[in-house]
Amino acid sequence: MIGAIILKSMLDRTGTDQINQRDVEQLLSHWTDDAVLIYPGNLPFSGALRGRAMLTAFFEIYLEQFPQLEFTAQDTFISNMFAIGLNNTVAIETATKYTNRWGDTYENSVTSILKLKWGKVWYDKDYYFDVHTLNKAWEGADLGRLEEYLPPRA
């Protein structure tokens, strides 16, 4: 049980707080160098984003695309609440409100499944409630820094 309390406290300080504070470096300091983010939608980068360099580019573009963000953790579910070594699987339900750089505001809900190794995220799979809204919010994003990581366009 103490492991669950420590883990929840760590996730509260390092997940939604870091995104809300717009601090990519601090956010990724809690991820392994070879971490994978599975991002939903029908976007050029939807699917697996792998490694620190690609994740850094993604989160920088994310913060540019959405100059106003508000993530509010609703519920946290911990697979093994007795694990003290911080190797665990966690699901976090988050309410999101984001305004893109054209001033369009969207609200959504996302559940993230995080797999942790020694307290660092090595795998994150996001499930957005309304993927259509997610796709619309990303329209017109400047993805230049991600181009080198994406497969060639047909």
Side-chain angles (χ1 to χ4, degrees):
M1 185 76 138
I2 191 76
I5 294 168
I6 293 168
L7 184 57
K8 179 158 181 358
S9 174
M10 182 209 60
L11 291 169
D12 289 345
R13 287 190 324 271
T14 61
T16 55
D17 288 354
Q18 300 307 319
I19 284 287
N20 288 336
Q21 293 170 10
R22 311 182 66 75
D23 189 341
V24 173
E25 186 177 320
Q26 186 63 28
L27 172 70
L28 290 178
S29 73
H30 301 284
W31 291 52
T32 63
D33 288 340
D34 59 347
V36 176
L37 167 62
I38 308 297
Y39 198 79
N42 187 19
L43 302 159
F45 55 85
S46 293
L49 304 162
R50 298 179 185 278
R52 173 127 0 235
M54 188 175 191
L55 289 169
T56 298
F58 169 76
F59 281 114
E60 288 173 349
I61 292 167
Y62 186 90
L63 294 176
E64 289 169 8
Q65 180 68 9
F66 303 107
Q68 295 178 7
L69 287 169
E70 183 181 330
F71 280 61
T72 306
Q74 302 289 306
D75 287 303
T76 303
F77 304 91
I78 300 171
S79 176
N80 183 354
M81 67 179 175
F82 298 106
I84 295 178
L86 299 179
N87 294 333
N88 221 322
T89 301
V90 178
I92 302 173
E93 180 185 15
T94 306
T96 61
K97 183 176 182 180
Y98 40 99
T99 302
N100 67 16
R101 58 189 177 156
W102 295 276
D104 301 321
T105 300
Y106 302 89
E107 293 187 27
N108 214 329
S109 175
V110 61
T111 298
S112 299
I113 307 299
L114 305 173
K115 294 186 180 189
L116 307 173
K117 188 183 320 176
W118 295 108
K120 289 193 172 201
V121 175
W122 67 269
Y123 178 87
D124 175 351
K125 187 169 187 178
D126 291 346
Y127 297 89
Y128 276 77
F129 177 75
D130 186 346
V131 176
H132 175 74
T133 295
L134 177 69
N135 290 336
K136 187 164 177 53
W138 273 100
E139 286 178 1
D142 179 4
L143 303 177
R145 280 170 284 161
L146 274 177
E147 291 292 330
E148 68 182 275
Y149 304 103
L150 302 176
R153 294 182 188 170

